[in-house]
Amino acid sequence: MKSTSNTEKPRVVATIPVGAEPVGVAVDVHDHVFVTNRRANTVSVINSVTNTVSATLNVGLRPESVATDPQFGVYVANGGNFTVSALDRFHTLVATIDVGGPPGPPPPDMLRVAVDHLMSRAYVANRGLHRVSVIGISSDPPALSLDFTDVEGPLGVAVDPVSHRVFVTQPDHNTISVIDATNHDVVRSIPVGPHPTGIAIDSQKRRVYVANSGFRTVSVIDTTTGGVAEIDVGQSPTGVAVDSHGAVYLSHPDGLVRVIDPGSAGVIARIPVGSQPQGLAFEPHSNRVYVANGGDGTVSAIDVAGS
């Protein structure tokens, strides 16, 4: 990230109305930002050039997470009925994939998804079934694989595009499980802070950032050495994203996004956004971080370079 001097700081440059209770955010390579609206059962598509909603897509019940692939499309994890909506590159629904779940109405925060493009897979963290399932995204239509990994209470999920290992948060166990993509075994369990939820990977710096929503820290995992460090960032960090220069953005229920400098490991900015911000994602073409404000139905676009 560019130097955040007194005249140049990250700031909100647009507030975009979307649907009811936006929670998950992902970007693609075509200047699109996808936002899951949990209470509307829709996904809003934002044009990052104009910062306006260009489409509203109907998906499954209570969409909680979204991931994209540059070749095969968009994948939406619907926690209300344990399905994944698969959309092609033109945002047309091509499959609704049942990943399974326990009987009865599920509570919130049941399903999240991440994509490994080179492996042509989507990984679905299914908190209801205590497993991480695999979807083959190159098949036509995309289909659930017989392969899965048993993980107790998985929620946040992220893929290292270099090692192809899958990192999964376990909020009820204060740990991260690391899954090997070759045999789908858990190869390491890493203790972190209380109630880890959001997770993001900086593959260039070989770091994994974990938002410990039950406390006030972010756990930083060095994937080369295996070491874990803690950074105090303020109460209840929920979502986490990393920009192209390694700066780390954290959403907090107090309506702030805090920014960590990767060099000093300190908080260098506090950015007011909307009510109850949750998921967030960095969009490299516009050099902005998009934040889903679950409490007021908006998305905040943060210019990471400021003015």
Side-chain angles (χ1 to χ4, degrees):
M1 188 173 71
K2 292 182 180 180
S3 173
T4 51
S5 67
N6 290 333
T7 59
E8 186 174 357
K9 290 183 178 295
R11 62 187 179 91
V12 173
V13 294
T15 301
I16 308 157
V18 288
E21 199 179 1
V23 291
V25 187
V27 304
D28 69 7
V29 296
H30 304 293
D31 302 314
H32 295 128
V33 181
F34 300 88
V35 182
T36 60
N37 302 308
R38 185 157 57 186
R39 282 200 293 121
N41 302 330
T42 61
V43 170
S44 295
V45 185
I46 296 171
N47 183 318
S48 65
V49 177
T50 63
N51 278 331
T52 58
V53 174
S54 60
T56 300
L57 312 173
N58 293 316
V59 289
L61 183 64
R62 212 174 70 210
E64 296 180 334
S65 174
V66 57
T68 69
D69 181 87
Q71 182 176 358
F72 298 112
V74 182
Y75 304 88
V76 182
N78 306 303
N81 58 0
F82 292 101
T83 64
V84 172
S85 299
L87 303 101
D88 64 17
R89 290 181 298 126
F90 306 101
H91 310 159
T92 300
L93 182 69
V94 294
T96 300
I97 304 163
D98 187 346
V99 297
D109 295 325
M110 283 287 103
L111 222 60
R112 293 193 183 174
V113 61
V115 163
D116 186 334
H117 168 62
L118 293 179
M119 300 290 283
S120 297
R121 295 172 181 168
Y123 292 93
V124 184
N126 187 332
R127 202 173 179 188
L129 284 188
H130 303 286
R131 67 173 52 167
V132 176
S133 297
V134 181
I135 294 173
I137 62 176
S138 61
S139 62
D140 188 13
L144 187 67
S145 169
L146 294 177
D147 295 319
F148 65 87
T149 305
D150 291 319
V151 178
E152 281 294 318
L155 183 58
V157 56
V159 178
D160 184 343
V162 176
S163 69
H164 302 286
R165 288 190 166 182
V166 184
F167 292 76
V168 183
T169 68
Q170 297 169 268
D172 303 317
H173 300 276
N174 304 335
T175 56
I176 304 298
S177 282
V178 184
I179 301 171
D180 184 275
T182 303
N183 53 24
H184 301 108
D185 288 340
V186 173
V187 294
R188 190 180 175 202
S189 181
I190 306 171
V192 289
H195 206 79
T197 51
I199 185 167
I201 295 175
D202 184 341
S203 59
Q204 292 184 337
K205 289 185 170 60
R206 313 299 300 142
R207 294 173 182 171
V208 178
Y209 293 91
V210 182
N212 300 311
S213 65
F215 192 44
R216 50 182 301 123
T217 60
V218 169
S219 297
V220 186
I221 302 167
D222 186 319
T223 60
T224 301
T225 66
V228 181
E230 303 290 330
I231 302 174
D232 189 329
V233 294
Q235 196 65 34
S236 303
T238 304
V240 57
V242 182
D243 74 13
S244 57
H245 297 282
V248 184
Y249 298 77
L250 298 148
S251 59
H252 294 256
D254 60 2
L256 293 177
V257 167
R258 290 169 171 85
V259 186
I260 298 173
D261 177 83
S264 67
V267 175
I268 56 172
R270 294 168 176 81
I271 308 165
V273 290
S275 173
Q276 297 174 28
Q278 298 197 42
L280 63 175
F282 174 67
E283 202 290 306
H285 297 153
S286 62
N287 209 31
R288 295 178 188 138
V289 170
Y290 287 83
V291 186
N293 302 309
D296 61 19
T298 66
V299 169
S300 297
I302 299 172
D303 183 345
V304 307
S307 56

